């Protein structure tokens, strides 16, 4: 999946210039507060541009993902708690905790893997994900944003978000 992430990163610059293809959500009912902008790519991948606000360790939301994903930090840093469930109903068992910095990347490809993002500062990331795991494979604690009546960004906020990612992506490619 990291190869797919690199391909998506190289394809993103022109897409970031077209706000009409992006949707947004303000995920502010749990921490870290997350500003998400996403679009579907022709290859079936979804790409999400996240900005996370800083939060405390005890506030961070532990969760499994409903799909395989790859992640990269473009700016900022976070601690990540990782856990693992033995089956679809069990709560996670702690496994590890990592400090991730600018340009760190990783994948989550197992439906029983949990994580929590604990931003040390305002942090910008890109996530890609594939089709969801089958419902009989995904963990039962998977929570989505669907039906949560979350706010969307204003047009101005969306344009600022996309501009931030254009600049961060340019910095990323320049550093390579």
């Amino acid at each position: 999946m990291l190869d797919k992430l690199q391909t998506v990163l190289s394809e993103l610059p022109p897409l970031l210039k077209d706000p009409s293809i992006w949707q947004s959500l303000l995920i502010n009912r749990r921490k870290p507060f997350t500003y998400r902008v996403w679009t579907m790519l022709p290859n079936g991948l979804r790409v999400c541009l996240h900005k996370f606000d800083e939060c405390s360790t005890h506030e961070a939301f532990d969760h499994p993902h409903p799909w395989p994903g790859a992640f990269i930090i473009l700016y900022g840093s976070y601690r990540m708690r990782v856990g693992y469930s033995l089956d679809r109903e069990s709560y996670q068992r702690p496994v590890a905790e990592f400090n991730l910095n600018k340009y760190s990347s990783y994948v989550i490809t197992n439906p029983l893997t949990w994580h929590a993002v604990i931003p040390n500062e305002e942090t910008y990331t890109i996530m890609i994900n594939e089709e969801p795991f089958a419902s009989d494979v995904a963990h039962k604690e998977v929570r989505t944003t669907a039906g949560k009546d979350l706010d969307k960004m204003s047009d101005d906020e969306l344009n600022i978000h996309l501009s931030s990612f254009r600049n961060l992506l340019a910095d990323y490619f320049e550093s390579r």
Side-chain angles (χ1 to χ4, degrees), residues 110-131:
N110 185 304
L112 301 178
T113 300
W114 294 59
H115 81 149
V117 170
I118 309 156
N120 301 312
E121 59 199 303
E122 187 174 86
T123 300
Y124 292 77
T125 70
I126 295 179
M127 171 183 74
I128 63 166
N129 59 272
E130 296 180 328
E131 291 293 318

Side-chain angles (χ1 to χ4, degrees), residues 12 27 29 31 38 41 50 55 58 72-73 81 83 114 118 125 129 136 142 146 153 155 170:
L12 266 179
I27 305 167
R29 296 194 183 148
K31 291 194 177 182
W38 80 94
L41 301 176
H50 289 135
C55 77
H58 70 278
I72 186 169
I73 298 173
R81 269 192 313 256
W114 294 59
I118 309 156
T125 70
N129 59 272
D136 63 337
V142 165
M153 292 180 186
D155 289 345

Side-chain angles (χ1 to χ4, degrees), residues 11-76:
E11 295 171 349
L12 266 179
L15 300 176
L16 293 171
K17 294 178 182 175
D18 182 3
S20 70
I21 66 169
W22 297 91
Q23 298 178 59
S24 69
L25 280 180
L26 303 176
I27 305 167
N28 56 7
R29 296 194 183 148
R30 59 167 170 76
K31 291 194 177 182
F33 289 165
T34 306
Y35 307 81
R36 176 184 291 162
V37 171
W38 80 94
T39 193
M40 293 300 297
L41 301 176
N43 62 6
L45 294 173
R46 180 177 75 155
V47 59
C48 297
L49 313 175
H50 289 135
K51 181 181 96 165
F52 296 109
D53 286 346
E54 181 179 357
C55 77
S56 299
T57 301
H58 70 278
E59 297 175 306
F61 174 64
D62 291 283
H63 59 283
H65 281 257
W67 26 250
F71 310 77
I72 186 169
I73 298 173
L74 290 183
Y75 179 85

Side-chain angles (χ1 to χ4, degrees), residues 60-127:
F61 174 64
D62 291 283
H63 59 283
H65 281 257
W67 26 250
F71 310 77
I72 186 169
I73 298 173
L74 290 183
Y75 179 85
S77 64
Y78 59 73
R79 255 186 357 269
M80 182 171 66
R81 269 192 313 256
V82 178
Y84 187 79
S85 298
L86 296 177
D87 55 48
R88 293 179 56 239
E89 278 114 33
S90 301
Y91 192 70
Q92 69 168 337
R93 295 177 179 203
V95 174
E97 193 167 303
F98 302 94
N99 288 310
L100 300 168
N101 298 307
K102 186 176 180 180
Y103 305 147
S104 295
S105 58
Y106 61 95
V107 297
I108 294 177
T109 57
N110 185 304
L112 301 178
T113 300
W114 294 59
H115 81 149
V117 170
I118 309 156
N120 301 312
E121 59 199 303
E122 187 174 86
T123 300
Y124 292 77
T125 70
I126 295 179
M127 171 183 74

Side-chain angles (χ1 to χ4, degrees), residues 130-153:
E130 296 180 328
E131 291 293 318
F133 298 115
S135 61
D136 63 337
V137 173
H139 196 282
K140 290 190 175 185
E141 284 296 316
V142 165
R143 297 178 194 159
T144 67
T145 56
K148 301 279 192 296
D149 196 30
L150 296 169
D151 291 329
K152 296 184 182 323
M153 292 180 186

